[in-house]
Amino acid sequence: SAEVWTGPENADRKISSLKLNSSEIDGTFSSENGIAYLEWTMMFVNNSLSNNEARAIIKLPKDAVVSRLTLWVNGEEREAAFAKESVVEAAYSSVVNKNRDPVLVQYKGPDTVSMKCFPVSNKTPMKIRIGITIPAQNLANGDCFIKLPSFIKSNFVIEKSLKHYFWVESKQPLDYKNEVSKKLESGYKLKLFLADKELKEGVSIHLPFNKQERKPYFYLLNKEQYLISTFFEEAPQMNTNVSLIK
Protein backbone atom coordinates (compact mmCIF):
# COMPACT_ATOMS: atom_id res chain seq x y z
CA SER A 1 0.00 0.00 0.00
CA ALA A 2 1.10 3.58 -0.60
CA GLU A 3 2.72 5.65 2.15
CA VAL A 4 0.57 8.79 2.47
CA TRP A 5 1.18 11.89 4.60
CA THR A 6 -0.33 11.78 8.09
CA GLY A 7 1.23 14.97 9.45
CA PRO A 8 4.58 16.75 9.80
CA GLU A 9 5.43 14.70 12.88
CA ASN A 10 5.92 11.68 10.58
CA ALA A 11 8.15 13.47 8.10
CA ASP A 12 11.24 11.77 9.53
CA ARG A 13 9.91 8.20 9.33
CA LYS A 14 12.14 6.97 6.52
CA ILE A 15 10.88 4.92 3.59
CA SER A 16 13.93 2.97 2.44
CA SER A 17 12.72 2.71 -1.17
CA LEU A 18 12.12 6.47 -1.48
CA LYS A 19 15.20 8.56 -2.29
CA LEU A 20 16.24 12.07 -3.19
CA ASN A 21 17.88 11.43 -6.56
CA SER A 22 19.10 14.96 -7.30
CA SER A 23 19.02 18.43 -5.78
CA GLU A 24 19.88 21.77 -7.39
CA ILE A 25 19.60 25.25 -5.88
CA ASP A 26 20.16 28.15 -8.27
CA GLY A 27 19.26 31.80 -8.62
CA THR A 28 20.35 35.42 -8.37
CA PHE A 29 21.57 37.67 -5.54
CA SER A 30 21.18 41.44 -5.98
CA SER A 31 23.22 43.96 -4.01
CA GLU A 32 20.99 46.80 -5.25
CA ASN A 33 17.95 45.74 -3.22
CA GLY A 34 19.48 43.12 -0.94
CA ILE A 35 17.29 40.35 -2.30
CA ALA A 36 18.07 36.85 -3.52
CA TYR A 37 15.72 34.62 -5.48
CA LEU A 38 16.56 30.91 -5.42
CA GLU A 39 14.86 27.92 -6.99
CA TRP A 40 15.33 24.54 -5.32
CA THR A 41 14.72 21.71 -7.79
CA MET A 42 14.39 18.20 -6.35
CA MET A 43 13.90 14.84 -8.01
CA PHE A 44 12.63 11.79 -6.12
CA VAL A 45 12.79 8.13 -7.13
CA ASN A 46 10.95 5.16 -5.67
CA ASN A 47 12.16 1.53 -5.90
CA SER A 48 8.96 0.09 -4.39
CA LEU A 49 6.09 -1.42 -6.36
CA SER A 50 3.73 0.87 -4.45
CA ASN A 51 3.38 4.61 -5.00
CA ASN A 52 4.75 6.66 -2.11
CA GLU A 53 4.44 10.24 -0.92
CA ALA A 54 7.62 12.29 -0.43
CA ARG A 55 7.45 14.68 2.52
CA ALA A 56 9.81 16.97 4.36
CA ILE A 57 10.11 19.87 6.76
CA ILE A 58 12.27 22.63 5.25
CA LYS A 59 14.13 25.38 7.08
CA LEU A 60 13.95 28.65 5.16
CA PRO A 61 16.46 31.48 5.51
CA LYS A 62 15.44 34.23 7.95
CA ASP A 63 12.33 36.11 6.75
CA ALA A 64 12.27 34.23 3.43
CA VAL A 65 9.01 33.39 1.65
CA VAL A 66 8.02 30.69 -0.82
CA SER A 67 7.02 32.68 -3.89
CA ARG A 68 6.74 29.92 -6.52
CA LEU A 69 6.00 26.20 -6.67
CA THR A 70 6.01 23.95 -9.74
CA LEU A 71 5.76 20.26 -10.56
CA TRP A 72 6.64 18.32 -13.70
CA VAL A 73 3.70 16.34 -15.12
CA ASN A 74 4.27 14.26 -18.25
CA GLY A 75 7.53 16.12 -18.84
CA GLU A 76 5.94 19.57 -18.56
CA GLU A 77 6.49 22.05 -15.74
CA ARG A 78 3.23 23.31 -14.18
CA GLU A 79 2.76 26.33 -11.94
CA ALA A 80 1.19 26.15 -8.49
CA ALA A 81 -2.03 27.77 -7.33
CA PHE A 82 -2.37 29.73 -4.09
CA ALA A 83 -5.37 29.38 -1.77
CA LYS A 84 -6.45 29.30 1.85
CA GLU A 85 -5.11 26.43 3.96
CA SER A 86 -8.42 24.60 4.38
CA VAL A 87 -9.22 24.90 0.68
CA VAL A 88 -5.83 23.73 -0.53
CA GLU A 89 -5.65 20.83 1.96
CA ALA A 90 -9.01 19.55 0.75
CA ALA A 91 -7.91 19.95 -2.87
CA TYR A 92 -4.65 18.08 -2.19
CA SER A 93 -6.49 15.18 -0.56
CA SER A 94 -8.93 15.02 -3.45
CA VAL A 95 -6.14 14.90 -6.02
CA VAL A 96 -4.22 12.25 -4.04
CA ASN A 97 -7.34 10.08 -3.83
CA LYS A 98 -7.66 10.29 -7.60
CA ASN A 99 -3.99 9.24 -7.94
CA ARG A 100 -3.11 12.41 -9.82
CA ASP A 101 -0.01 14.58 -9.33
CA PRO A 102 -0.15 17.25 -6.62
CA VAL A 103 2.53 19.01 -4.58
CA LEU A 104 1.78 21.02 -1.46
CA VAL A 105 3.83 23.53 0.56
CA GLN A 106 2.56 25.05 3.81
CA TYR A 107 4.03 27.40 6.38
CA LYS A 108 4.43 25.58 9.70
CA GLY A 109 6.21 28.16 11.85
CA PRO A 110 8.84 30.91 11.71
CA ASP A 111 10.99 30.34 8.60
CA THR A 112 9.68 26.76 8.33
CA VAL A 113 7.53 25.03 5.70
CA SER A 114 6.30 21.51 5.10
CA MET A 115 6.40 19.91 1.66
CA LYS A 116 4.62 16.84 0.34
CA CYS A 117 4.14 15.42 -3.14
CA PHE A 118 2.40 12.31 -4.50
CA PRO A 119 2.68 9.91 -6.21
CA VAL A 120 6.34 8.97 -6.49
CA SER A 121 6.13 5.80 -8.57
CA ASN A 122 8.75 3.25 -9.59
CA LYS A 123 8.16 4.16 -13.23
CA THR A 124 8.65 7.92 -13.33
CA PRO A 125 10.73 10.15 -11.01
CA MET A 126 8.88 12.98 -9.28
CA LYS A 127 10.39 16.42 -9.99
CA ILE A 128 9.39 19.60 -8.14
CA ARG A 129 10.73 23.14 -7.85
CA ILE A 130 10.31 25.57 -4.95
CA GLY A 131 11.02 29.27 -5.57
CA ILE A 132 12.21 31.18 -2.50
CA THR A 133 12.61 34.97 -2.12
CA ILE A 134 15.19 35.87 0.52
CA PRO A 135 15.97 39.28 2.06
CA ALA A 136 19.68 39.52 2.80
CA GLN A 137 21.02 40.09 6.29
CA ASN A 138 23.36 43.00 7.07
CA LEU A 139 26.91 42.74 8.36
CA ALA A 140 28.57 45.49 10.37
CA ASN A 141 30.94 46.36 7.50
CA GLY A 142 28.06 47.02 5.08
CA ASP A 143 28.29 43.70 3.26
CA CYS A 144 25.31 41.36 3.27
CA PHE A 145 24.71 37.62 3.23
CA ILE A 146 22.01 35.02 2.74
CA LYS A 147 21.70 31.53 4.13
CA LEU A 148 20.51 28.62 2.02
CA PRO A 149 17.39 26.53 2.72
CA SER A 150 17.83 23.00 4.08
CA PHE A 151 15.92 19.92 5.16
CA ILE A 152 15.09 19.72 8.87
CA LYS A 153 13.71 16.21 8.43
CA SER A 154 12.30 14.05 5.64
CA ASN A 155 10.79 10.64 5.00
CA PHE A 156 13.06 9.97 1.99
CA VAL A 157 16.63 8.72 2.01
CA ILE A 158 19.43 11.17 1.23
CA GLU A 159 22.57 9.21 0.38
CA LYS A 160 25.83 10.51 1.84
CA SER A 161 27.23 10.56 -1.69
CA LEU A 162 24.53 12.98 -2.88
CA LYS A 163 25.68 16.57 -3.36
CA HIS A 164 23.36 19.55 -3.57
CA TYR A 165 24.49 21.45 -6.66
CA PHE A 166 24.30 25.18 -5.93
CA TRP A 167 24.98 28.14 -8.17
CA VAL A 168 24.07 31.81 -7.94
CA GLU A 169 24.77 34.82 -10.14
CA SER A 170 25.28 38.45 -9.13
CA LYS A 171 26.59 41.71 -10.55
CA GLN A 172 29.16 41.76 -7.73
CA PRO A 173 31.62 39.09 -6.48
CA LEU A 174 30.31 36.47 -4.04
CA ASP A 175 32.10 34.09 -1.74
CA TYR A 176 31.61 31.13 0.59
CA LYS A 177 34.49 30.12 2.86
CA ASN A 178 37.45 29.66 0.48
CA GLU A 179 35.27 29.49 -2.63
CA VAL A 180 35.00 32.65 -4.73
CA SER A 181 32.82 33.48 -7.71
CA LYS A 182 34.10 33.48 -11.27
CA LYS A 183 33.89 36.54 -13.49
CA LEU A 184 31.37 36.34 -16.32
CA GLU A 185 30.60 38.77 -19.12
CA SER A 186 27.45 39.91 -17.28
CA GLY A 187 28.68 39.62 -13.68
CA TYR A 188 29.82 36.82 -11.35
CA LYS A 189 28.83 33.22 -10.73
CA LEU A 190 29.50 31.08 -7.64
CA LYS A 191 29.19 27.29 -7.93
CA LEU A 192 29.29 24.80 -5.05
CA PHE A 193 28.68 21.10 -4.44
CA LEU A 194 27.34 20.73 -0.90
CA ALA A 195 26.80 17.63 1.22
CA ASP A 196 23.44 17.50 2.98
CA LYS A 197 25.18 17.70 6.38
CA GLU A 198 26.91 20.92 5.34
CA LEU A 199 23.62 22.38 4.11
CA LYS A 200 21.96 21.54 7.45
CA GLU A 201 24.79 23.16 9.41
CA GLY A 202 24.19 26.41 7.53
CA VAL A 203 25.65 27.83 4.33
CA SER A 204 26.10 31.63 4.18
CA ILE A 205 26.75 33.33 0.85
CA HIS A 206 28.39 36.76 1.22
CA LEU A 207 28.17 39.72 -1.12
CA PRO A 208 29.32 43.40 -0.88
CA PHE A 209 26.38 45.76 -0.40
CA ASN A 210 26.15 49.43 -1.38
CA LYS A 211 23.89 51.19 1.13
CA GLN A 212 23.31 54.04 -1.31
CA GLU A 213 21.64 51.70 -3.79
CA ARG A 214 18.97 50.25 -1.51
CA LYS A 215 15.53 49.86 -3.10
CA PRO A 216 12.11 48.65 -1.92
CA TYR A 217 11.51 44.91 -1.92
CA PHE A 218 8.36 42.82 -1.72
CA TYR A 219 7.13 40.21 0.74
CA LEU A 220 4.57 37.89 -0.85
CA LEU A 221 1.77 37.33 1.66
CA ASN A 222 -0.90 35.72 -0.48
CA LYS A 223 -2.37 35.77 -3.97
CA GLU A 224 -4.12 39.12 -3.58
CA GLN A 225 -1.90 41.02 -1.14
CA TYR A 226 1.68 42.30 -1.20
CA LEU A 227 3.39 44.04 1.69
CA ILE A 228 6.07 46.55 0.68
CA SER A 229 9.02 47.11 3.02
CA THR A 230 12.60 48.34 2.69
CA PHE A 231 15.85 46.51 3.23
CA PHE A 232 16.70 48.10 6.58
CA GLU A 233 13.23 47.91 8.14
CA GLU A 234 12.22 45.08 10.43
CA ALA A 235 10.72 42.20 8.49
CA PRO A 236 6.90 41.98 8.64
CA GLN A 237 5.06 39.06 10.17
CA MET A 238 4.13 36.59 7.43
CA ASN A 239 0.61 35.30 6.98
CA THR A 240 0.07 31.58 6.49
CA ASN A 241 0.52 30.62 2.85
CA VAL A 242 -0.05 27.35 1.08
CA SER A 243 0.62 26.28 -2.47
CA LEU A 244 -0.94 23.51 -4.52
CA ILE A 245 -0.42 22.29 -8.04
CA LYS A 246 -2.68 19.78 -9.72
Side-chain angles (χ1 to χ4, degrees):
S1 61
E3 292 277 3
V4 178
W5 173 275
T6 57
E9 66 276 4
N10 289 328
D12 55 355
R13 185 165 61 86
K14 299 293 184 185
I15 301 175
S16 59
S17 62
L18 188 60
K19 297 182 179 181
L20 179 65
N21 190 56
S22 66
S23 170
E24 180 175 334
I25 304 173
D26 61 79
T28 58
F29 190 174
S30 170
S31 63
E32 293 182 348
N33 55 18
I35 288 289
Y37 175 71
L38 302 179
E39 292 188 330
W40 191 355
T41 306
M42 313 170 198
M43 184 178 291
F44 304 99
V45 295
N46 178 25
N47 296 323
S48 170
L49 294 178
S50 301
N51 291 338
N52 284 315
E53 181 181 62
R55 51 188 183 259
I57 304 298
I58 297 173
K59 180 67 175 177
L60 298 179
K62 180 177 171 58
D63 300 325
V65 292
V66 173
S67 47
R68 188 185 184 209
L69 179 64
T70 62
L71 169 72
W72 274 256
V73 179
N74 298 325
E76 295 184 2
E77 186 178 11
R78 296 188 182 181
E79 295 287 339
F82 292 83
K84 293 181 180 179
E85 184 171 1
S86 58
V87 174
V88 78
E89 271 284 10
Y92 181 86
S93 298
S94 174
V95 174
V96 166
N97 291 336
K98 294 176 182 177
N99 212 37
R100 290 170 58 197
D101 300 303
V103 58
L104 178 68
V105 168
Q106 295 176 277
Y107 284 100
K108 290 299 179 183
D111 306 322
T112 306
V113 296
S114 66
M115 179 280 298
K116 53 184 177 178
C117 56
F118 179 89
V120 185
S121 73
N122 64 350
K123 296 180 181 179
T124 306
M126 170 74 79
K127 185 178 180 181
I128 68 170
R129 174 175 288 160
I130 302 174
I132 304 170
T133 302
I134 307 167
Q137 306 299 312
N138 270 341
L139 293 173
N141 64 359
D143 291 354
C144 59
F145 72 93
I146 59 165
K147 286 187 175 291
L148 301 187
S150 62
F151 293 117
I152 296 175
K153 55 185 179 179
S154 67
N155 75 330
F156 44 84
V157 176
I158 303 176
E159 302 283 2
K160 290 184 178 180
S161 59
L162 183 136
K163 300 292 184 182
H164 300 274
Y165 174 47
F166 168 77
W167 63 263
V168 65
E169 293 185 351
S170 175
K171 292 181 179 180
Q172 295 190 29
L174 308 117
D175 64 85
Y176 169 65
K177 293 184 177 179
N178 296 324
E179 299 289 337
V180 295
S181 54
K182 292 185 178 180
K183 184 73 172 69
L184 304 174
E185 185 174 336
S186 58
Y188 295 84
K189 185 173 185 177
L190 177 66
K191 295 195 297 184
L192 304 169
F193 290 91
L194 302 163
D196 192 60
K197 180 180 179 181
E198 186 174 10
L199 201 62
K200 279 186 170 70
E201 291 173 348
V203 174
S204 295
I205 308 300
H206 291 83
L207 174 142
F209 181 67
N210 187 339
K211 295 181 181 180
Q212 304 303 316
E213 295 179 353
R214 63 185 180 184
K215 297 179 180 179
Y217 62 78
F218 297 86
Y219 275 87
L220 177 63
L221 297 182
N222 53 43
K223 188 176 181 180
E224 293 84 15
Q225 182 184 10
Y226 290 82
L227 179 66
I228 302 176
S229 183
T230 60
F231 183 76
F232 289 98
E233 291 179 355
E234 183 177 354
Q237 190 71 29
M238 288 189 300
N239 291 351
T240 298
N241 288 339
V242 289
S243 303
L244 170 72
I245 185 167
K246 61 179 181 175

